[in-house]
């Protein structure tokens, strides 16, 4: 991750608001489908269209998913939370208000630990709300003059995760988002797909002279559609605010948009134009009660989270922190590794092969580990063959190359190649050893004079002469016998 220089006399302060779409089959207050990509305005009904008299009914699954996510983010769940109307006028909001939660959210006081020093970033709150519709400005007849509205997304369940202003740099914001997404993916409550809008982030940022206690005036950067762009937008915005202050001006509180082509943020609306949402309790919904019994049921569905899993992998399988990080990027990969590691004779060898043989090949073709032709089971099978001496490290490399060339898993290629075995033909090996010994009289003398480390030299020479096909253990034995 590229590090970004932070001005030394000013201290940036960042707080993030993340919206995550929950993977329920139906919307939060009606039974319409949440499926992405349906023809516009087909997943709608009187409730999500905001017809007079239509009444919302809360989706139980949405509450369970939101609670699970909040638990995974170390929040305290409020037994009673209140839905509230957030009133504003916008064409994609047919009711004229969004049902959200305000002063009594579902959950509070959470945190995520980020970075190698495990800095704790506070999570102020996690609340439930409904999504709005989508304005379409292109891709339909007369779109030069008109805007169309698709209300399929209206009423899709979201959670909003609000961080404390604890984030100190753009890199830390990037790290926080990466960890947040990873945790949510592990819980399975969202696919966190930024392209489809199921994860969206608004970044609040201010600067203050280093050492000053009060926070500076913040700007809010909206609708940035990748973590990388959020980092870039923050870098730009921090520099801009420092410059404003340095040149004697004042940062104004406003909403800004990031243009990723130019790498700049632009003012969208200032505080004077800011909304007064006139929040009030939603009269059509009862207070939401998540009691101890329900919480106990939900907590049972909480999986082991990435952080804990990494620590356990290091401890149980003897792998490095770095390997554990790579092997836990997704729950499914971690599950696959764990099954393979359990089945293998030497789990550490499995991790080493992933790192040493798999990652480099994947990187060369620009692929992610989840697109590897060699599965974790394949890695485990190859590790066992090396472990038992059936194949050499060199043969494994060749077989991996074939796997990648043929886009087939290791066991299949191993069969196709007729289950190759490294040579344990003693007479052929002894012939090679004789040659090597004859060709290196000086080294033989050193060995016999007591320099036992020369053994490695001879084994290496024999290995080279046998083109990596010979069993190292056997060479070791035979060379020792010959030299003694
Ligand atoms: P608003 O009332 O404008 O929505 P909030 O107090 O609800 O502001 O905070 C929204 C987000 O902005 C939170 O993530 C919070 O941590 C962050 N935040 C609040 N004040 C500042 C500040 N001065 N600088 C940077 N971030 C801030
Ligand atoms: Zn509906
Ligand atoms: Mg707020």
């Amino acid at each position: 991750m590229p590090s970004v220089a932070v001005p030394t006399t000013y201290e940036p302060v960042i707080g993030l608001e993340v919206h995550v779409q929950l993977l329920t089959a139906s919307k939060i207050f009606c039974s319409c489908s949440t499926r992405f990509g349906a023809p516009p305005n087909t997943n709608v009904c009187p409730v999500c269209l905001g017809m007079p008299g239509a009444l919302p009914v809360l989706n139980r699954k949405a509450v369970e998913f939101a609670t699970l996510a909040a638990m995974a983010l170390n929040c305290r769940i409020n037994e009673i939370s209140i839905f509230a109307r957030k009133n504003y006028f916008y064409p994609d909001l047919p009711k004229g208000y969004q049902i959200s939660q305000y002063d009594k959210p579902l959950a509070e006081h959470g945190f995520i630990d980020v970075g190698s020093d495990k800095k704790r970033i506070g999570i102020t709150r996690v609340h439930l709300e409904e999504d709005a519709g989508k304005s379409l400005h292109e891709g339909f007849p007369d779109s030069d003059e008109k805007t169309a509205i698709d209300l399929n997304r209206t009423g899709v369940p979201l959670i909003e995760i609000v961080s404390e202003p604890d984030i100190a740099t753009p890199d830390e914001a990037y790290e926080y988002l990466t960890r947040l997404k990873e945790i949510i993916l592990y819980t399975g409550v969202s696919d966190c797909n930024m392209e489809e809008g199921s994860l969206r982030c608004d970044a609040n940022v201010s600067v203050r002279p280093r050492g000053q206690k009060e926070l500076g005036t913040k700007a809010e950067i909206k609708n940035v559609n990748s973590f990388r762009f959020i980092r870039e937008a923050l870098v730009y915005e921090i520099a801009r605010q420092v410059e404003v202050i340095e040149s004697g001006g004042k940062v104004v509180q406003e909403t800004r948009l990031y243009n990723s082509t130019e790498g700049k943020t632009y003012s969208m609306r200032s505080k004077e134009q800011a909304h007064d949402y006139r929040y009030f309790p939603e009269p059509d919904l009862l207070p939401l009660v998540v009691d101890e019994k329900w919480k106990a049921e939900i907590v049972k569905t909480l999986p082991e989270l990435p952080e804990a899993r990494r620590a356990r992998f290091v401890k149980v399988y003897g792998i490095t922190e770095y390997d554990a990080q790579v092997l836990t990027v997704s729950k499914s990969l971690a599950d696959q590794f764990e099954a393979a590691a359990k089945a293998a004779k030497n789990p550490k060898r499995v991790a080493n092969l992933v790192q040493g043989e798999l990652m480099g090949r994947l990187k060369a073709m620009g692929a992610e580990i989840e697109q590897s032709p060699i599965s974790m089971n394949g890695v485990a099978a190859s590790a066992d063959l090396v472990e038992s001496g059936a194949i050499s490290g060199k043969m494994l490399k060749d077989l991996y190359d074939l796997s990648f060339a043929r886009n087939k898993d290791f066991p299949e290629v191993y069969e196709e190649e007729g289950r190759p075995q490294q040579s344990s033909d003693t007479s052929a090996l002894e012939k090679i050893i004789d040659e090597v010994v004859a060709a290196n009289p000086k080294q033989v003398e050193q060995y016999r004079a007591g320099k036992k480390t020369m053994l490695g030299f001879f084994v290496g020479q024999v290995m080279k002469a046998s083109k990596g096909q010979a069993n190292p253990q056997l060479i070791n034995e035979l060379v020792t016998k010959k030299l003694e």
Side-chain angles (χ1 to χ4, degrees):
M1 188 164 77
S3 252
V4 162
V6 168
T8 49
T9 47
Y10 289 88
E11 179 187 19
V13 173
I14 301 163
L16 300 175
E17 297 169 287
V18 176
H19 286 92
V20 170
Q21 181 184 329
L22 301 175
L23 274 177
T24 54
S26 57
K27 294 186 180 180
I28 184 168
F29 299 122
C30 62
S31 58
C32 291
S33 166
T34 55
R35 192 168 69 82
F36 181 84
N41 301 307
T42 52
N43 294 334
V44 290
C45 74
V47 174
C48 55
L49 288 176
M51 303 285 192
L55 290 174
V57 178
L58 180 58
N59 180 340
R60 190 178 167 88
K61 198 79 206 164
V63 176
E64 289 178 353
F65 278 177
T67 305
L68 186 64
M71 286 172 168
L73 297 169
N74 304 298
C75 289
R76 269 184 253 152
I77 311 300
N78 288 324
E79 178 153 351
I80 296 176
S81 60
I82 309 284
F83 285 101
R85 288 190 183 178
K86 180 179 181 178
N87 300 279
Y88 64 94
F89 175 77
Y90 202 76
D92 67 13
L93 190 71
K95 290 200 297 286
Y97 59 86
Q98 175 195 27
I99 304 179
S100 180
Q101 296 187 310
Y102 185 53
D103 46 7
K104 264 279 184 188
L106 175 71
E108 292 170 280
H109 309 294
F111 60 84
I112 298 178
D113 293 336
V114 304
S116 48
D117 57 347
K118 305 259 182 287
K119 176 175 167 185
R120 181 152 295 183
I121 308 295
I123 290 174
T124 318
R125 54 191 277 142
V126 174
H127 70 246
L128 261 168
E129 61 185 30
E130 59 178 343
D131 207 346
K134 204 173 166 185
S135 302
L136 305 167
H137 306 287
E138 46 202 48
F140 59 93
D142 299 334
S143 55
D144 288 353
E145 300 133 48
K146 291 176 186 147
T147 291
I149 310 242
D150 178 6
L151 295 174
N152 282 347
R153 216 173 63 180
T154 311
V156 162
L158 304 177
I159 47 175
E160 179 172 346
I161 302 156
V162 182
S163 90
E164 290 288 308
D166 288 346
I167 300 166
T169 64
D171 282 349
E172 223 168 81
Y174 185 93
E175 173 77 8
Y176 169 86
L177 290 168
T178 306
R179 296 280 86 85
L180 172 68
K181 179 176 166 187
E182 192 178 75
I183 292 167
I184 299 290
L185 283 175
Y186 264 63
T187 66
V189 307
S190 175
D191 59 19
C192 296
N193 184 331
M194 285 190 96
E195 277 98 66
E196 293 180 3
S198 43
L199 189 153
R200 285 168 259 161
C201 176
D202 301 332
N204 299 271
V205 55
S206 63
V207 299
R208 61 182 166 186
R210 215 163 266 285
Q212 176 183 302
K213 236 177 132 238
E214 312 88 80
L215 297 178
T217 303
K218 72 176 160 77
E220 180 174 4
I221 311 169
K222 272 206 175 303
N223 296 331
V224 190
N225 60 12
S226 82
F227 292 173
R228 195 163 60 83
F229 288 159
I230 287 168
R231 180 164 58 191
E232 285 176 17
L234 286 168
V235 170
Y236 174 84
E237 182 58 20
I238 289 164
R240 187 192 69 85
Q241 291 184 12
V242 168
E243 205 177 293
V244 167
I245 297 171
E246 286 285 277
S247 58
K250 268 202 165 79
V251 173
V252 291
Q253 182 163 344
E254 63 185 352
T255 303
R256 298 179 72 86
L257 290 179
Y258 181 63
N259 179 325
S260 59
T261 319
E262 295 174 34
K264 291 179 179 173
T265 64
Y266 288 94
S267 179
M268 184 174 110
R269 58 168 180 255
S270 69
K271 198 188 162 115
E272 292 77 66
Q273 304 155 263
H275 292 119
D276 171 7
Y277 293 116
R278 291 150 39 234
Y279 279 100
F280 64 86
E282 167 59 63
D284 292 339
L285 287 164
L286 289 168
L288 170 57
V289 180
V290 182
D291 59 14
E292 288 304 322
K293 189 162 157 277
W294 198 8
K295 267 203 290 189
E297 275 169 37
I298 297 168
V299 85
K300 272 192 242 154
T301 65
L302 191 64
E304 183 182 31
L305 295 169
E307 186 79 33
R309 194 150 206 198
R310 280 193 276 278
R312 193 168 57 78
F313 276 12
V314 169
K315 201 159 147 240
V316 175
Y317 301 114
I319 67 178
T320 64
E321 285 273 350
Y322 184 81
D323 288 354
Q325 179 75 49
V326 171
L327 291 164
T328 54
V329 291
S330 75
K331 182 167 180 298
S332 109
L333 180 68
D335 288 344
Q336 288 169 42
F337 168 73
E338 183 139 38
K342 275 194 182 131
K345 294 197 186 85
N346 179 356
K348 182 144 179 54
R349 190 187 289 280
V350 176
N352 286 346
L353 287 178
V354 170
Q355 213 43 254
E357 298 300 335
L358 213 51
M359 296 312 284
R361 286 178 173 80
L362 288 168
K363 210 170 161 197
M365 60 188 250
E368 298 293 324
I369 188 160
E370 278 154 320
Q371 298 154 318
S372 169
I374 305 179
S375 67
M376 286 295 132
N377 278 328
V379 176
S382 70
D384 279 359
L385 287 171
V386 175
E387 196 69 25
S388 69
I391 63 170
S392 65
K394 168 77 170 61
M395 290 166 73
L396 178 136
K397 282 179 201 288
D398 292 343
L399 288 165
Y400 271 41
D401 285 343
L402 291 177
S403 275
F404 272 74
R406 295 175 193 171
N407 195 24
K408 285 179 178 162
D409 204 349
F410 179 88
E412 208 179 326
V413 168
Y414 185 60
E415 290 299 326
E416 282 177 1
E417 290 301 294
R419 300 169 151 265
Q421 299 276 319
Q422 68 180 329
S423 157
S424 43
D425 174 352
T426 324
S427 60
L429 263 184
E430 275 171 339
K431 201 168 147 260
I432 297 175
I433 291 169
D434 286 344
E435 286 164 14
V436 168
V437 166
N440 298 287
K442 237 207 244 134
Q443 284 82 349
V444 173
E445 214 171 282
Q446 287 174 348
Y447 180 86
R448 293 196 172 134
K451 197 172 174 197
K452 297 292 175 200
T453 50
M454 287 315 291
L455 185 64
F457 166 78
F458 286 105
V459 172
Q461 292 296 308
V462 174
M463 193 62 132
K464 212 166 128 194
S466 74
K467 301 202 167 58
Q469 301 292 304
N471 179 338
Q473 228 166 313
L474 184 62
I475 302 178
N476 225 303
E477 267 169 46
L478 294 176
V479 170
T480 310
K481 216 165 83 194
K482 172 87 187 169
L483 291 172
E484 300 290 334

